[in-house]
Amino acid sequence: MFQKSQILVFVGETGSGKTTQIPQFVLFDDLPHFEGKQIVCTQPRRVAAMSVAKRVADELDVTLGEEVGYNIRFEDCSGPKTILKYMTDGMLLREAMNDHDLTRYSCIILDEAHERTLATDILMGLLKEVVVRRPDLKVIVMSATLDAQKFQAYFNDAPLLAVPGRTHPVEVYYTPEPEKDYLEAALRTVLQIHAEESEGDVLLFLTGEEEIEDACRKISLEGDELCRETDCGPIKVYPLYGSLPPLQQQKIFDPAPPPLKAGGRPGRKVIVSTNIAETSLTIDGIVYVVDPGFAKQKVYNPRIRVESLLVSPISQASAQQRAGRAGRTRPGKCFRLYTEQAFKKELIEQTYPEILRSNLANTVLELKKLGIDDLVHFDFLDPPAPETMMRALEELNYLACLDDEGNLTALGRIASEFPLDPQLAVMLISSTEFFCSNEILSLTALLSVPNVFVRPNTNRKRADEMKQQFAHPDGDHLTLLNVYHAYKSNEKTPSWCYDHFLSERSLKSADNVRAQLKRVMERNNIDLVSTPFEDKQYYNNIRRALVTGYFMQVAKKIGTGTSYSTIKDNQLVLLHPSTGISHTPEWTIYNEFVLTSKNYIRTVTAVKPEWLLELAPVYYDIANWSNSEAKTALEKVLQKQARQRDIARKKKKMDSARDR
């Protein structure tokens, strides 16, 4: 079928081995290296790209990074010999920017297409056009059974090949009543399985890193107690989430612990994971799945320009994927911590594609760089809302990445070279004007990695005291910079990080990201400069450079209290408790907007209103603003500036008269 068709939709249930075997079949059939080409298989997640590449390299008996490699953001493990490459869909999209026809590949395999990430959706629209221009290119779209017909119809009725998985039957249990606290119920269920069920490992789905680490600690403690009090086998708990380092991720494949004594009950392995284990990774030995029915999802509200990660109920399709994880090696059981009624009536059938719930500024920039100017008629599988598209164009126009006709500017062209949000990219490019591109480069790297501050539940007070040592009175961005400088001057030792409650992993990662961004800057002839530290303007320059990227994310203090209001959208917000600012400045820029019980702004730095008017005059053209406290305050600043200009003019006149 691969030989007969240019585009093929392949449906393989979980466990059919599609991710590891199909690329190998294609490799042996296509023999791309004779043509000087490669085969690429995209994955929606970095973890999957790395672990699958390792597995396939082992199967082909080659060294990882030689014939088989992977390429993810900020890490490229491939070389001149590579003929089969696993990469994240975002990385392939970046490659397409510089090579619109993806000429180095003879076959492109889009794996896990049903996950419908932003990058996969754009790649599908792009490949639909590329195959017309390149009749020699083959495309395989691989998906779980969920929406194969939709993909077929989209790719002009491409042929479909379906392969059944080797799944055993799974019994599904629901709770009779809704649970008050899903976390509590999940821990109780895991311990009950350990105490009463026959051998087999447990997979528990939770929503995020903090929750997972907390659950792991509790299950370990209570499991050990259970083991002492009864004749249960030992229990070993492993966390699994995207930002976990690869070495720790590999631990989930370790065998379950052996019995404590000969003839005793066997041990059990418990894996607590985000929805990363739903499709991207397959862990042998899982017999029991505990599914509380929640996952973190990115949600974007274009009206108030807020993108946030919210814990929300999963879809029926996700619930079925999760249950399928239990039937890999033998018949299994899935415990759903919600009622059957809730499953049928309250869960949506399919998860909404990411393109319908994301800020599209980055996407629009990518499409423009890909040479697609007519965004309205681009063939999306699911077109995004017009309002989201308009907001993205507007944002890029304010950032000067697009001109008023919607064409890429020189700045936009350079910004699209960086694997960053347009705001960060613009800030980095502009920082040379303020003589602080070295510092802004470090800051950009720190903002692109997980939080550098560690705050363990058992030692919060000490962690906060340590953080205070680095705190800068004017803002969290400057605090981060202090941390990075201290880390570099203490020779990056793990013990120093541990003593100061800092995440060595995040700081190492930031170091790596910085080196890569530095290469992009050098390629684009952007100078690396610094203001001398003794100069009074050192921190001011950095804050002004921050404004060039984040002038749309500004909040103004209301009255004399601690509440703030965001500019233009007038959302009421508070400073996040994690902020290191000791006072409440009048004007701040913020890095992210967090929705929990209240609206918070996080990673904030104090700025001056004069800078906003000077550095973003188009955005701060307040003549068209509706009345607000911010507008009044900015009018006062403008009046003051006008008065100063008047005085200066009069003084000049008097001086010249005196000279005459």
Side-chain angles (χ1 to χ4, degrees), residues 45 203 205 240 273-281 283 325:
R45 293 195 175 86
L203 173 59
F205 285 100
L240 177 62
S273 169
T274 57
N275 52 358
I276 206 168
E278 216 171 271
T279 53
S280 304
L281 285 178
I283 307 151
R325 288 319 200 184

Side-chain angles (χ1 to χ4, degrees), residues 221-273:
L221 286 170
E222 295 193 29
D224 292 346
E225 206 170 300
L226 201 64
C227 193
R228 282 196 297 275
E229 289 171 6
T230 61
D231 64 338
C232 286
I235 190 168
K236 200 91 184 76
V237 191
Y238 299 102
L240 177 62
Y241 43 86
S243 56
L244 203 63
L247 265 177
Q248 271 177 276
Q249 279 170 5
Q250 289 307 318
K251 285 186 183 168
I252 62 169
F253 300 112
D254 291 354
L260 287 172
K261 52 181 185 288
R265 279 175 67 176
R268 200 186 300 272
K269 180 169 74 175
V270 176
I271 291 152
V272 189
S273 169

Side-chain angles (χ1 to χ4, degrees), residues 476 555 557 562-564 572-585 587-590 598-605:
D476 299 331
K557 190 161 86 166
T562 54
S563 294
Y564 283 78
L572 274 184
V573 291
L574 295 166
L575 298 184
H576 195 271
S578 66
T579 182
I581 295 190
S582 45
H583 59 108
T584 47
W587 297 83
T588 71
I589 53 165
Y590 58 91
K598 296 181 180 139
N599 292 347
Y600 287 110
I601 48 175
R602 187 159 58 193
T603 317
V604 296
T605 288

